[in-house]
Amino acid sequence: MGGHVARNGARLAVDRSVPGLIVKIGAYPLHHGGVGAIRSLGRLGVPMYAVTEDRFTPAAASRYLRGRFVWPTTGREEPGRLVTGLLRIGRRIGRPTVLIPTDEEAAVLIAEHAEALAGAFLFPRVAAGLPRRLASKQGLHELCVEHGVPSPAAAFPTSYEDIEAYALKARFPVVAKNREAFVRRRRPAVAGTTRIEGPDQLLDLARDWGPRPGVILQEYLPREQAEDWIVHACFGAGSAPLALFTGVKVRSWPPHAGMTACAYVVDNPELAAMTAQFIKQIGFTGVADLDWRFDRRDGRYKLLDFNPRMGAQFRLFENAAGVDVVRAQHLDLTGHAVPEGAQRAGHRFVVENVDLPALLAYRRSGSRTPHAPARASGTELAWIAGDDPLPFFTMLARSVGPGARHLMQLRRTGRRAGAEAPQKQGEEPK
């Protein structure tokens, strides 16, 4: 057993005999969420392992990593091959290990092959098909309709003719997203969340989507009339909330459409209650990352995304007992109570390598977030950590080229920020 002294002086006890394994499917080496999970449990003395694309990713450089398993995957592999690879890793670790998926594909794989993985690993048991349905834009929309949860209006075309019919009646702009987990890896229709300004642009893009377009066409909620909220939570048996946090997103990259670049912890009891009720209704257990958008036009929170795994910015949230969602899951799966405590309202999370260009873009557009505190009560940096510096320098070495290309693209096109969000180069989990 080990301990961690929280801000309130209490000691957070963890079982150091049970390791954790970061599981990822697909190539996204610059993922600060994986690094955050390694640090979060590693600082408590939990042995941490990770699947990495190569030996030189930021996660592989963390001082808290006990071992790395270089296993470059694409998401196009047969599930059986992925399960076999995970079991091989489990044998090398040599003892039951908590699985921590960082993308939808990994979460879906674990749920759908729970029986095969259960001997080597610890993970929440959930209805086998639920994570795939939640990760599917169509599946999530149907669940929202079924349970009375507001969500943006959406269409799910199955042919080019459906898109032509939609283009005649749709109110533009609209947003296009890949519809399904795994399919976005094998046959992505769009590289990321894509704003479409009119019917001509839609029809032009749709010509490349094939006979069965794997997209969702979603109502665009104008940023001038909306505010982006995030909920990170961990639910135990019976969908009981073990940890539940609310915050507001201030900036993202690409602007208004990509991963969180800066966010604040903001208390929102109404949104917390909505989330807890929905998760209980659908019977979900485990860690979840939800994106909501508050639509000022009708005063409703609308659910945009439900990621059935930890979010990249989860380290924004920690309660007074020192619990974040990754720690909550490890405690629960190892048979320990999860201490309660208030969230650290006003705390800020900044992703250094993307927040600077995001800040410049948002200043140009004049965007603001009314619920963001005027001043942060504290700041959690995604990459920089005095006790674990190497991931930051590894990130810098690998991101200089892509970052410069992003900025040059933004300057060449002369876009106003958010007028048409650039597509992401690869769909990295948020």
Side-chain angles (χ1 to χ4, degrees):
M1 301 292 291
H4 165 73
V5 179
R7 290 177 293 124
N8 64 0
R11 181 169 292 275
L12 183 62
V14 295
D15 190 338
R16 292 179 175 176
S17 70
V18 181
L21 172 66
I22 305 298
V23 183
K24 63 193 314 187
I25 296 174
Y28 50 98
L30 300 183
H31 189 244
H32 51 275
V35 173
I38 291 166
R39 288 170 173 168
S40 180
L41 289 174
R43 286 169 177 151
L44 304 185
V46 174
M48 291 301 296
Y49 299 86
V51 173
T52 66
E53 291 85 349
D54 56 58
R55 295 180 298 154
F56 305 105
T57 68
S62 174
R63 62 170 287 202
Y64 293 108
L65 195 68
R66 179 73 60 87
R68 62 175 182 263
F69 301 96
V70 176
W71 185 22
T73 58
T74 64
R76 298 188 292 271
E77 297 85 359
E78 288 298 319
R81 178 184 169 192
L82 295 172
V83 170
T84 298
L86 275 179
L87 291 173
R88 187 180 301 117
I89 289 172
R91 288 193 294 271
R92 291 178 64 182
I93 295 174
R95 48 185 161 159
T97 300
V98 171
L99 293 181
I100 306 168
T102 60
D103 51 66
E104 288 87 334
E105 288 78 12
V108 168
L109 183 81
I110 293 165
E112 293 183 351
H113 297 84
E115 296 306 319
L117 296 170
F121 299 108
L122 302 174
F123 49 88
R125 302 305 289 265
V126 64
L130 185 58
R132 184 181 289 272
R133 196 174 181 195
L134 291 168
S136 159
K137 306 306 180 187
Q138 182 170 355
L140 177 61
H141 182 77
E142 291 169 350
L143 282 169
C144 287
V145 172
E146 181 181 338
H147 295 286
V149 173
S151 63
F156 308 95
T158 60
S159 66
Y160 187 80
E161 289 71 26
D162 285 351
I163 295 172
E164 288 181 311
Y166 176 85
L168 292 175
K169 62 182 181 181
R171 181 177 179 180
F172 289 87
V174 298
V175 173
K177 300 178 180 178
N178 290 300
R179 193 184 301 188
E180 309 285 348
F182 282 107
V183 175
R184 66 177 181 155
R185 303 286 188 195
R186 298 185 188 116
R187 298 184 303 277
V190 290
T193 301
T194 303
R195 176 172 160 170
I196 299 174
E197 299 297 332
D200 291 342
Q201 184 186 1
L202 172 60
L203 294 173
D204 184 54
L205 286 172
R207 290 186 183 95
D208 295 327
W209 293 346
R212 296 187 62 82
V215 296
I216 170 179
L217 299 173
Q218 194 174 67
E219 170 193 12
Y220 173 71
L221 303 180
R223 68 176 188 273
E224 299 83 5
Q225 299 295 328
E227 193 171 47
D228 289 321
W229 287 80
I230 50 179
V231 177
H232 287 221
C234 180
F235 285 77
S239 299
L242 304 175
L244 199 160
F245 306 99
T246 60
V248 67
K249 185 186 297 188
V250 176
R251 291 183 292 275
S252 59
W253 187 257
H256 309 288
M259 73 174 74
T260 299
C262 179
Y264 286 81
V265 179
V266 178
D267 293 332
N268 191 328
E270 177 186 359
L271 188 57
M274 286 180 63
T275 300
Q277 180 181 10
F278 180 54
I279 288 180
K280 186 171 183 62
Q281 287 173 331
I282 63 176
F284 179 80
T285 59
V287 172
D289 163 24
L290 292 81
D291 288 328
W292 296 82
R293 181 163 289 179
F294 179 68
D295 190 341
R296 297 192 190 97
R297 298 171 300 177
D298 58 14
R300 297 197 301 172
Y301 291 95
K302 298 179 179 179
L303 184 56
L304 302 182
D305 289 300
F306 188 122
N307 302 305
R309 42 79 180 168
M310 55 156 269
Q313 70 275 19
F314 83 94
R315 278 299 303 158
L316 167 65
F317 300 111
E318 182 181 295
N319 70 17
V323 173
D324 59 34
V325 294
V326 170
R327 290 173 175 175
Q329 180 155 294
H330 190 279
L331 287 165
D332 185 53
L333 292 174
T334 55
H336 296 278
V338 179
E340 297 180 356
Q343 65 178 10
R344 45 185 183 181
H347 207 77
R348 176 176 60 179
F349 184 79
V350 174
V351 185
E352 306 93 307
N353 59 317
V354 296
D355 192 45
L356 178 57
L359 178 61
L360 297 175
Y362 277 67
R363 281 182 175 173
R364 289 214 318 261
S365 70
S367 295
R368 67 184 192 87
T369 305
H371 281 91
R375 179 174 297 179
S377 60
T379 299
E380 179 92 13
L381 297 175
W383 293 108
I384 297 174
D387 63 335
D388 190 29
L390 284 181
F392 170 72
F393 293 108
T394 307
M395 176 276 295
L396 282 183
R398 294 188 72 141
S399 63
V400 169
R405 287 195 294 273
H406 265 306
L407 290 174
M408 289 297 292
Q409 180 187 19
L410 202 62
R411 169 175 270 185
R412 281 198 308 269
T413 57
R415 290 192 186 107
R416 290 184 61 80
E420 182 179 350
Q423 296 185 11
K424 289 178 279 184
Q425 302 305 304
E427 198 159 359
E428 181 171 327
K430 298 180 285 184

